[in-house]
Amino acid sequence: RAMAAKVSSSTSALDDVDARALPLLALSFGRYPQLAECRDGTVRIGEFCSDNPAALRQLDARNLSLLVNGFSKWPDQPGCGEGTFAVAGEVLRRAHTQGFSKFNPQSLTNLVNGFSKWPNQAECREATSAIGTEVTYLAGRANRLSDFVPQDLANLVNGFSKWPEQESTREATIAIGSEISREANRLGRFPEQELATLVNGFSKWPQEPGIRQAAVAIAGDIASGVGKPGGFTHQHLAILVNGFSKWPEELNMRQAAVTVGGEVVARARELGGFTDQHLANLVNGFSKWPEQEKTREAAVAIASEVSCDANRLRGFPGQELAYLINGFSKWPQEPGMRQAAVAIAGEIASRADKIKGFTHQQLAILVNGFSKWPEQEKTREATAAVAREILRRTSHLRGFTDQHVANLVNGFSKWPEEPEVRQAAVGLAEEIVSRAGQLAGFADQHLANLVNGFSKWPEQEKTREATAAVACEILRRTSHLRGFTDQHVANLVNGFSKWPEEPEVRQAAVGLA
């Protein structure tokens, strides 16, 4: 603390310090992130590195990684960011001039882990991308990934996942996934935290076969009891379920989710120790397997925790409330789910003036979820509050995706007599009319939901025009109607029947017939 205070209090304190001392200072200060003096001292070191890039050239690979490790303890401090960006620039310079031959596995890992704290910074992205290329190279060179310990592999995947759109980070993660798959029978050597971190990172590339195979291997380990769920922290359990839910069709994922569900039920009395995000991610994840007894029981336990503590709900951010409702809505007949949904609806209605901070997606999820309990007064009030917010955003409806619009219309239709709900539905109908001829991106289910929803207001001119626009899209898909499910066809025909005199609607109905 005294040394950090000395470093931060003098602008010239570092001028005569050997450059090799800087990483040791930053690393030491970083071990006490709660101390203001250590924070300020590290910020000063970051500013010094940014102003004196030549000093960084005197440091070896290990010391560069230690600097970033220290800076990463305070990612919200501009000075720490500046220092990290300077190191990223030096790493890139060496990558281009001499490669990574002098960087050992731990140094590469520390750099990626540190850079990932600033995912929006170009220098951090480019430096991590270069390291990703190196990791892929090492994987193909006599399987050098075996040089990385489990913690290194987990931290690399976690860091690479902050840039899932980068080709090099994706390829490096695929290489690590292959390593994990090869080690499937030795996953017991991976601590619980590393397994959870791997699943969380892998879930950013759910379409990659190699990555999916690695995640399946980890899920199999947990489902078999080798990776005992009792050893996972609350956070790990939430991370695992959230990750596994990206592959709901995989048998291992379902079995692992059931295993975690059983553990959550066993910890029912400890749910107060789970954070808002943990509870929301668990419910949202478990909802991918609504037919499983243990996932249902776990969701019921969480619903009880949510509905029994109204004060706690006041602290839930919009995203967590949306995740909870989305999950609970998969079990609408469960009394505990209904009680929790009513409690959340009451919270939404009480912060009607703060809903403007919710994203388009969150609003759509809330309405879609509340619509599973249309007979409840609180869900009606909450939906009316969301409808008022939609009306406030009328000029910005272009920002709502096809799915958002379809879910909103379908949800609003459960309360057709509510004035604000009707007005919001008309506004959404106008948006559909403006997209006429551009509805090819709507899934079959979205089109069916739109028609079924708009049909609750057949007297409105805009809902008629919007339905006609959807009918034109149905006519365009005449040769592909075999892809519509029985439910889709039934909803379309039922909805179209409200406007029998509309030419396009009649033709679309004939096509469905």
Side-chain angles (χ1 to χ4, degrees), residues 209-282:
I211 290 175
R212 182 182 70 245
Q213 186 176 353
V216 166
I218 295 174
D221 188 68
I222 291 170
S224 67
V226 177
K228 298 184 184 301
F232 289 92
T233 66
H234 299 340
Q235 182 182 20
H236 297 157
L237 294 177
I239 287 174
L240 287 171
V241 171
N242 187 58
F244 293 150
S245 70
K246 302 303 191 294
W247 300 277
E249 72 287 350
E250 290 285 349
L251 176 62
N252 278 12
M253 304 306 190
R254 183 178 74 237
Q255 293 175 338
V258 167
T259 300
V260 175
E263 180 61 25
V264 169
V265 172
R267 300 187 193 185
R269 294 184 179 180
E270 303 174 27
L271 290 177
F274 284 73
T275 68
D276 305 342
Q277 186 177 18
H278 297 160
L279 294 178
N281 283 345
L282 282 169

